[in-house]
Amino acid sequence: MALNANKNTKLYYSIREVARKFDINESTLRYWETEFPQLKPKTSVQNKIRQYTEKDIEQIRLIYNLVKVRGFKLAAARKMLNENRQGVDKSSEVLETLISVRDQLQDLKIHLDGLV
């Protein structure tokens, strides 16, 4: 049986790991949980540790895109997610692709400037 190298074997991520991934404070994530009903990570009963799944991280990515990248207020971001989820998903994907292309072009420019 072949191993799927692309499959992520980790099921849950800590709040610290998720905060680092998006370069935001852990308190920001906790606050977003109160503002966005869609964002509900699993919490263990005994020690109150939040456990984020890939689905939660995707939700955070959409919120991050709306609030931090595009500059929406929290109420506007919440409204966008509630009314036009597919549009938000699509625009988030497009924006990530554009940022990736921009970064690649900047790297290429630096490389070409080094050749001259």
Side-chain angles (χ1 to χ4, degrees):
M1 182 164 114
L3 268 173
N4 184 354
N6 294 329
K7 187 173 182 175
N8 191 353
T9 57
K10 191 165 185 174
L11 297 177
Y12 297 105
Y13 298 86
S14 70
I15 191 169
R16 177 173 289 145
E17 291 172 311
V18 176
R20 284 183 184 157
K21 181 178 183 113
F22 291 97
D23 194 28
I24 58 177
N25 294 323
E26 294 173 23
S27 60
T28 301
L29 284 174
R30 287 187 205 97
Y31 183 66
W32 284 356
E33 288 173 22
T34 65
E35 292 294 315
F36 295 93
Q38 306 92 330
L39 184 58
K40 292 290 179 209
K42 180 180 173 185
T43 306
S44 64
V45 178
Q46 304 117 299
N47 47 14
K48 304 279 185 179
I49 295 176
R50 290 169 169 80
Q51 297 175 319
Y52 294 88
T53 63
E54 288 292 333
K55 183 179 176 185
D56 295 323
I57 292 172
E58 183 56 35
Q59 186 69 35
I60 293 167
R61 180 176 283 111
L62 293 174
I63 295 168
Y64 180 87
N65 178 16
L66 290 170
V67 175
K68 297 292 187 177
V69 176
R70 296 174 65 187
F72 280 67
K73 303 283 186 201
L74 292 180
R78 188 173 40 249
K79 184 177 178 182
M80 285 284 293
L81 285 172
N82 288 335
E83 293 178 1
N84 189 12
R85 173 63 188 239
Q86 285 183 321
V88 172
D89 286 340
K90 189 65 176 169
S91 67
S92 178
E93 289 173 22
V94 169
L95 186 60
E96 285 180 26
T97 302
L98 288 172
I99 290 170
S100 174
V101 168
R102 181 198 64 198
D103 292 344
Q104 290 174 6
L105 288 171
Q106 287 174 339
D107 290 344
L108 183 60
K109 182 182 182 310
I110 290 169
H111 180 70
L112 289 174
D113 288 345
L115 293 176
V116 175

